[in-house]
Amino acid sequence: MRIVETREFYDSTGRQHFGANYGHYPAKGDITFQTIVAKKPTGKVIELACGDGRILSALLEEGIDIEGFDYSETMLDIAKAEYNVPPERLHNLDLLENPLPFPDNTV
């Protein structure tokens, strides 16, 4: 039941959360660690619970092959609209109920 409540929360408050916490705040300052970690693997990187796509967008700019997953369609809409994350890089998925859409051992 809690996962439904979480989804409803972000679907109903995503815009307020985005505006209050980030607005058009550039992602650069707080993603140095994520960038270093994401550059280590070879192949695709995934960000689970990518939310508004702020970090995902910055990692894409660094040339990292990354895809984001989130349960809230509202947050994914923000990722597309505010951070210009390409829609093909975003997936609306309940990770507790569905497997990732990649063959085993490929991510």
Side-chain angles (χ1 to χ4, degrees), residues 4 8 11-12 23 26-29 35 38 41 45 47 50 52 58-59 66 73 75 77 84 96 101-102 104:
V4 173
E8 289 172 0
D11 281 346
S12 66
K28 295 293 182 193
T35 301
V45 174
E47 182 182 2
C50 66
D52 65 14
L59 295 178
I66 185 168
E73 192 67 46
M75 296 305 280
D77 288 343
N84 301 312
L96 296 177
F102 304 110
D104 288 347

Side-chain angles (χ1 to χ4, degrees), residues 9 11 15 28 32 35-36 45 54 56-57 59 62 67 75-77 96 104 107:
F9 172 78
D11 281 346
R15 291 264 170 222
K28 295 293 182 193
T32 302
T35 301
I36 292 167
V45 174
R54 189 170 61 89
L56 188 131
S57 172
L59 295 178
E62 292 291 327
E67 301 209 16
M75 296 305 280
L76 295 174
D77 288 343
L96 296 177
D104 288 347
V107 179

Side-chain angles (χ1 to χ4, degrees), residues 40-85:
K40 285 198 174 275
T42 57
K44 188 174 296 295
V45 174
I46 58 172
E47 182 182 2
L48 305 177
C50 66
D52 65 14
R54 189 170 61 89
I55 293 171
L56 188 131
S57 172
L59 295 178
L60 279 170
E61 288 178 13
E62 292 291 327
I64 295 166
D65 184 12
I66 185 168
E67 301 209 16
F69 294 82
D70 203 277
Y71 194 47
S72 170
E73 192 67 46
T74 299
M75 296 305 280
L76 295 174
D77 288 343
I78 292 170
K80 290 180 261 188
E82 303 296 337
Y83 291 105
N84 301 312
V85 176

